[in-house]
Amino acid sequence: MKILRLPFVRTLIFCILVLFLLVINKLTVLNFFVLGGLYSLIESLMAKKELDVETGNKWMDIGWVFILLTTMILVIIHTF
């Protein structure tokens, strides 16, 4: 469970789930907002309780932003 304290891992799980739903054509607007809301809630709780772990590796600590942006771009491209 200690690995879930890394923002990179939580973001990777969220993005894989979103892309999986996108591929099997089950990603609806409601699913997207529910998953996004849960992700946001988990991230805010982790930040509030200061449970995030920093690895000291720049790509691990900030790299989750690029994964999240890539997933969102893929979702937007797929909808058009």
Side-chain angles (χ1 to χ4, degrees):
M1 292 303 285
K2 193 169 189 168
I3 196 164
L4 289 176
R5 294 179 68 184
L6 294 171
F8 182 80
V9 173
R10 292 192 306 267
T11 303
L12 193 61
I13 292 170
F14 169 73
C15 292
I16 288 172
L17 184 61
V18 168
L19 290 175
F20 176 74
L21 290 173
L22 184 69
V23 168
I24 64 170
N25 207 19
K26 299 288 183 187
L27 185 68
T28 62
V29 174
L30 178 63
N31 287 347
F32 184 73
F33 282 111
V34 167
L35 287 173
L38 286 173
Y39 174 76
S40 177
L41 178 69
I42 290 170
E43 287 297 316
S44 66
L45 286 174
M46 294 297 271
K48 183 178 180 182
K49 300 211 182 248
E50 297 180 4
L51 293 175
D52 284 341
V53 175
E54 290 187 16
T55 61
N57 184 348
K58 182 179 176 182
W59 291 109
M60 286 291 283
D61 291 337
I62 302 175
W64 61 270
V65 175
F66 301 116
I67 294 172
L68 190 61
L69 288 175
T70 304
T71 302
M72 296 306 120
I73 290 169
L74 289 173
V75 169
I76 290 170
I77 289 171
H78 187 269
T79 57
F80 295 113

